[in-house]
Amino acid sequence: MKLYTRTGDDGTTGLFSGARVSKDHPRIEAYGTVDEANASIGMAMAACRREITFEARVHEILLQVQSRLFDIGADLATPEGANNSDRIMRVTETHVAEVERWIDEIDGANEPLRTFVMPSGGELASRLHLARTICRRAERLMVTLSHVEPVGAGPMRYMNRLSDMLFAMARRSNSVAGVGDTPWHPSKA
């Protein structure tokens, strides 16, 4: 099978249901940004040094997250009730609860947050912060899509929790690396 099909040369793309929509449709924007978040998580995983216990755990968790992001992409590409929708694994509250457990596991070792912190630090933390911001954008685009077409609550809640988890991971990564949080210093009027 060839990698290129030429079917998208007219500015449309196919959904899993078989329907075709414009490549700038809110549904495509949403799942395309989920794909971007997934790629950025892969970049964070590449910075994990597996000989460091915490970073090995981050890698393990993020590998599972990448599969869920593929599920969310398929979910967004296949609205409920559309052709083939019965073949899609939908992200549910069980998946959201799993991310919440990971947040509790990771954030429990972080110092209490006393101020806003800069998205910076070591390489792994910086990559995690970038992935976090892309997750937030994907979530916003899902909300935009939900104003014109149905979107399941599971994917939006998952992305919301995922960005929180990535924030907790970034802070913990900096702590493990001996890098403190960089606090925000608002300018004085």
Side-chain angles (χ1 to χ4, degrees):
M1 180 161 107
K2 289 186 177 187
L3 186 60
Y4 58 90
T5 63
R6 298 185 176 127
T7 58
D9 290 350
D10 64 352
T12 66
T13 191
L15 299 176
F16 189 58
S17 66
R20 294 199 66 80
V21 296
S22 175
K23 288 184 178 181
D24 66 353
H25 187 282
R27 184 166 298 282
I28 306 309
E29 291 287 345
Y31 79 67
T33 306
V34 169
D35 188 38
E36 184 181 349
N38 206 342
S40 69
I41 285 170
M43 290 292 294
M45 292 168 64
C48 290
R49 297 164 296 177
R50 307 251 193 96
E51 66 276 8
I52 297 172
T53 304
F54 170 71
E55 292 186 19
R57 180 69 175 134
V58 166
H59 191 278
E60 175 186 338
I61 291 169
L62 293 180
L63 188 59
Q64 293 177 65
V65 165
Q66 284 193 305
S67 288
R68 292 303 69 74
L69 291 178
F70 262 74
D71 293 336
I72 289 172
D75 186 314
L76 290 170
T78 316
E80 288 192 38
N83 289 340
N84 298 316
S85 66
D86 59 330
R87 296 173 51 196
I88 299 301
M89 198 294 297
R90 305 286 176 184
V91 171
T92 66
E93 281 304 308
T94 302
H95 301 104
V96 174
E98 181 177 47
V99 177
E100 290 173 349
R101 284 191 300 276
W102 290 331
I103 292 169
D104 293 341
E105 172 190 337
I106 293 157
D107 201 43
N110 283 335
E111 290 292 320
L113 196 57
R114 291 180 171 76
T115 184
F116 288 106
V117 298
M118 296 288 118
S120 62
E123 183 176 357
L124 176 56
S126 295
R127 290 179 187 208
L128 290 164
H129 277 300
L130 181 60
R132 173 186 60 79
T133 65
I134 297 169
C135 285
R136 287 285 189 210
R137 181 163 28 98
E139 179 188 8
R140 290 190 307 269
L141 289 167
M142 285 184 215
V143 170
T144 298
L145 173 61
S146 76
H147 294 306
V148 294
E149 293 184 13
V151 175
M156 285 194 287
R157 290 174 54 91
Y158 190 91
M159 296 305 287
N160 185 285
R161 293 307 182 287
L162 178 57
S163 60
D164 292 337
M165 185 187 76
L166 293 168
F167 179 74
M169 282 180 167
R171 290 190 68 225
R172 177 85 182 277
S173 173
N174 276 339
S175 176
V176 168
V179 177
D181 287 329
T182 303
W184 171 47
H185 297 288
S187 59
K188 306 229 187 302

